[in-house]
């Protein structure tokens, strides 16, 4: 019995290709995806890598989410997360209406404590809890900012918009994540904070990374680095600068530009040597560990899966690292191990990713594509493997 649904990524690629009356050879030529890779992905023999998905989406002129099937509506409904999306959307839409006369905002520090708590909760993998509380906080901080406008009020509002980005992007709502980022920039400009402006460009660059628009993403990274030059020198600026270099390294790796990827990794490593582990600074988890974790991701993006698996297995994750980052690393490591044929270890890492941050793992494209690869290999895996698939696609 197979747990992989019929509507997997490869099947969606085939359906989209046929809708556009393209042969496999034509799509291969247009997208520059090797013909054998494309045919095997459509058949479900191998999983579609992020590079393949982005290349096909760009060629067919559809969003990456259309190819991956995000958001995963059935699963969201089963987890009762779908009903939480509309309130978030509505709260993001009233940013410019001024103070709501029906809302009396609490003291600034109480709002700031709640906003900080939500940033921590998202990184602990508590997506549902944050999604349910977020709209109310956004509306309250929006009214507070319009009632008593000032730098701290606007930056607090920017923080709530950032959390909206975190939640919606993790659940696969790319359009809503883009709106949240635009609102974050709107509030950050009113708060006149160059560091938050640099963070906004980093997060916006990630949206282009997911869509396979690497050139635009790289331009945003450069704009972010230029913006940060306007900030006061110090650890905060260094952390965001280093994180921008890490994002740029993954982007370069996915576009198969090894030299540029290594250059960005080298710069991030240099900066991390000065900052040390700085997981708490804007909750970016920057530091030497994050550089090593991103090196694993870059190697995988360059299709150097053996090196990625070897380096990833040697990474020691600090106990203080957020669960969401630990889960993401184990998912990336599982992907690399799956491609090297180490199916048992890959599956164990998927289980760790699930145990560490179950809500995030269930909606993570890397987890789903890696599971698809393990299922397609038709190797003897534990009975729990099918249960894992049922959990993913319930």
């Amino acid at each position: 019995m197979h747990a992989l649904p019929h509507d997997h990524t490869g099947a969606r690629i085939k359906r989209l290709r046929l809708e556009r009356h393209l042969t496999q050879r034509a799509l291969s030529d247009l997208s520059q995806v090797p013909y054998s890779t494309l045919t095997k992905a459509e058949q479900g023999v191998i999983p579609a890598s992020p590079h393949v998905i982005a290349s096909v989406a760009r060629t067919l002129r559809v969003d990456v989410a259309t190819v991956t099937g995000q958001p995963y509506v059935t699963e969201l409904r089963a987890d009762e997360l779908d009903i939480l999306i509309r309130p978030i959307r509505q709260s993001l839409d009233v940013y410019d209406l001024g103070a709501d006369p029906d809302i009396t905002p609490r003291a600034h520090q109480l709002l700031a404590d709640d906003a900080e708590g939500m940033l921590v909760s998202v990184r602990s993998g508590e997506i549902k809890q944050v999604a349910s509380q977020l709209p109310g906080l956004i509306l309250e901080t929006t009214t507070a900012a319009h009632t008593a406008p000032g730098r701290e009020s606007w930056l607090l509002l920017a923080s709530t918009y950032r959390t909206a980005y975190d939640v919606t992007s993790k659940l696969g709502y790319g359009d809503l994540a883009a709106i949240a980022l635009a609102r974050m920039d709107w509030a950050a400009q009113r708060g006149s904070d160059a560091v938050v402006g640099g963070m906004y460009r980093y997060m916006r660059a990630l949206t282009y990374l997911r869509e396979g628009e690497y050139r635009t993403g790289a331009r945003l990274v450069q704009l972010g680095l230029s913006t940060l030059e306007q900030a006061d020198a110090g650890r905060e600026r260094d952390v965001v600068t280093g994180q921008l270099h890490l994002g740029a390294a993954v982007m370069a790796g996915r576009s198969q530009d090894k030299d540029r990827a290594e250059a960005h990794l080298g710069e991030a490593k240099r900066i991390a040597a000065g900052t040390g582990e700085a997981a708490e600074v804007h909750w970016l988890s920057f530091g030497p560990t994050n550089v090593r974790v991103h090196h694993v991701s870059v190697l995988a993006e360059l299709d150097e899966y053996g090196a990625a698996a070897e380096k990833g297995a040697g990474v020691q994750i600090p106990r203080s690292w957020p669960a969401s980052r630990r889960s993401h690393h184990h998912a990336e490591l599982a992907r690399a191990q799956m491609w090297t044929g180490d199916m048992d270890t890959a599956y164990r890492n998927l289980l760790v990713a699930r145990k560490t941050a179950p809500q995030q793992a269930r909606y993570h494209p890397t987890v789903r594509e890696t599971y698809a690869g393990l299922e397609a290999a038709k190797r003897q895996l534990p009975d729990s493997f099918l249960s894992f698939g049922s959990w993913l696609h319930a």
Side-chain angles (χ1 to χ4, degrees), residues 209-224:
L209 167 65
R210 298 186 192 106
E211 289 297 322
E213 300 292 346
Y214 310 124
R215 181 173 175 273
T216 302
R219 291 176 64 195
L220 278 164
V221 166
Q222 291 305 314
L223 183 57

Side-chain angles (χ1 to χ4, degrees), residues 70-81 127 169-172 358-368 391-392:
Q70 293 175 288
Y72 307 119
V73 177
T74 300
E75 294 86 337
L76 286 164
R77 188 169 296 122
D79 289 340
E80 298 181 339
L81 280 162
I127 299 173
S169 61
K170 287 179 184 297
L171 295 180
Q359 290 178 15
Q360 173 176 291
R362 189 174 188 194
Y363 298 102
H364 202 302
T366 298
V367 171
R368 287 170 173 260
W391 171 73
L392 273 182

